[in-house]
Amino acid sequence: QKEVEQDPGPLSVPEGAIVSLNCTYSNSAFQYFMWYRQYSRKGPELLMYTYSSGNKEDGRFTAQVDKSSKYISLFIRDSQPSDSATYLCAMSANTGNQFYFGTGTSLTVIP
Amino acid sequence: NAGVTQTPKFQVLKTGQSMTLQCAQDMNHNSMYWYRQDPGMGLRLIYYSASEGTTDKGEVPNGYNVSRLNKREFSLRLESAAPSQTSVYFCASSELTAARREQYFGPGTRLTVT
């Protein structure tokens, strides 16, 4: 079983829709949770960072962590064509130096 | 503040040739990483360096070597390139503290081995 599971999609939504992206994980030691956005032929760009459980909001983006279910989500409100990209979840534990990534979900927002 | 920079951006090699991918960061991070990204496989860790003077293998280290030249720079070397090493290579850096643990990525090197 992989440490982090992410539905690869592709996901296609109309402009203005609310998008929900999700990852599940198996390692209960994970405490640090990240979402990255990767445009085609570019490097991953850090979008949201959350420590431990709870919600974090930044503009149209909300990250949620449910450690009891080992489930994290990224919500995008009022989605725009410029949000079309691949979204990667990542996580890390308190100990060790490595990060564990999902395989990414491809999102297209149709004007 | 450039963040993480990588050179070259593109490279084509013939099987058996060698090359070094360069990475530098200006965020004063202790930890640096090399990943490869292939379609359907996600990001796979090749090597990482938790601090200056140390390096450790990741998930897919075979065929690669690394050098942590100083705190800023971390290079990846392919001694004898193989077609299976055709990929996009990303360097990343991170400051691993109790409060913060996110990674920052470079723009990538697109490598083709023929």
Side-chain angles (χ1 to χ4, degrees), chain A residues 5-41:
Chain A
E5 299 280 358
Q6 184 175 9
D7 186 339
L11 189 59
S12 184
V13 301
E15 183 176 352
I18 297 174
V19 176
S20 172
L21 304 166
N22 310 294
C23 288
T24 58
Y25 62 95
S26 56
N27 189 342
S28 57
F30 288 152
Q31 295 274 8
Y32 305 87
F33 303 93
M34 290 137 276
W35 285 96
Y36 289 85
R37 178 175 60 196
Q38 186 175 21
Y39 291 116
S40 181
R41 304 179 79 85

Side-chain angles (χ1 to χ4, degrees), chain B residues 9-62:
Chain B
K9 287 187 168 48
F10 303 94
Q11 185 71 47
V12 178
L13 292 177
K14 294 189 187 321
T15 297
Q17 288 185 319
S18 62
M19 79 161 295
T20 299
L21 282 66
Q22 307 285 356
C23 173
Q25 52 94 8
D26 63 3
M27 294 175 281
N28 202 36
H29 287 165
N30 284 319
S31 300
M32 297 185 73
Y33 305 76
W34 277 105
Y35 294 91
R36 59 178 289 173
Q37 187 177 43
D38 303 289
M41 303 290 286
L43 285 162
R44 292 185 290 169
L45 182 64
I46 304 171
Y47 271 94
Y48 67 99
S49 171
S51 60
E52 192 177 348
T54 70
T55 60
D56 285 287
K57 294 179 181 179
E59 181 185 354
V60 288
N62 292 344

Side-chain angles (χ1 to χ4, degrees), chain B:
Chain B
N1 190 339
V4 180
T5 57
Q6 292 182 237
T7 55
K9 287 187 168 48
F10 303 94
Q11 185 71 47
V12 178
L13 292 177
K14 294 189 187 321
T15 297
Q17 288 185 319
S18 62
M19 79 161 295
T20 299
L21 282 66
Q22 307 285 356
C23 173
Q25 52 94 8
D26 63 3
M27 294 175 281
N28 202 36
H29 287 165
N30 284 319
S31 300
M32 297 185 73
Y33 305 76
W34 277 105
Y35 294 91
R36 59 178 289 173
Q37 187 177 43
D38 303 289
M41 303 290 286
L43 285 162
R44 292 185 290 169
L45 182 64
I46 304 171
Y47 271 94
Y48 67 99
S49 171
S51 60
E52 192 177 348
T54 70
T55 60
D56 285 287
K57 294 179 181 179
E59 181 185 354
V60 288
N62 292 344
Y64 305 95
N65 284 303
V66 290
S67 295
R68 183 74 182 266
L69 305 169
N70 48 54
K71 190 172 185 179
R72 288 188 65 246
E73 297 172 289
F74 188 37
S75 64
L76 178 72
R77 182 160 178 83
L78 287 71
E79 291 291 352
S80 178
S84 61
Q85 294 178 305
T86 293
S87 188
V88 182
Y89 291 85
F90 290 104
C91 178
S93 72
S94 177
E95 187 60 43
L96 303 178
T97 68
R100 305 290 298 190
R101 204 167 246 264
E102 66 270 36
Q103 278 194 323
Y104 294 89
F105 284 82
T109 295
R110 194 168 293 269
L111 175 67
T112 301
V113 183
T114 61

Side-chain angles (χ1 to χ4, degrees), chain A:
Chain A
Q1 183 188 4
K2 292 186 70 173
E3 299 258 20
V4 181
E5 299 280 358
Q6 184 175 9
D7 186 339
L11 189 59
S12 184
V13 301
E15 183 176 352
I18 297 174
V19 176
S20 172
L21 304 166
N22 310 294
C23 288
T24 58
Y25 62 95
S26 56
N27 189 342
S28 57
F30 288 152
Q31 295 274 8
Y32 305 87
F33 303 93
M34 290 137 276
W35 285 96
Y36 289 85
R37 178 175 60 196
Q38 186 175 21
Y39 291 116
S40 181
R41 304 179 79 85
K42 301 288 186 184
E45 168 197 8
L46 182 64
L47 196 58
M48 298 287 284
Y49 170 85
T50 310
Y51 172 66
S52 194
S53 282
N55 294 358
K56 185 173 184 179
E57 188 172 319
D58 184 1
R60 296 184 295 110
F61 299 90
T62 300
Q64 285 186 351
V65 175
D66 181 349
K67 292 186 69 181
S68 61
S69 303
K70 298 192 180 68
Y71 189 87
I72 69 170
S73 301
L74 177 70
F75 297 96
I76 307 174
R77 289 184 299 281
D78 187 24
S79 55
Q80 302 294 309
S82 59
D83 296 328
S84 298
T86 296
Y87 291 80
L88 300 156
C89 63
M91 39 202 87
S92 180
N94 266 327
T95 57
N97 302 300
Q98 295 193 36
F99 292 75
Y100 299 86
F101 288 83
T103 51
T105 300
S106 175
L107 171 68
T108 300
V109 180
I110 302 166

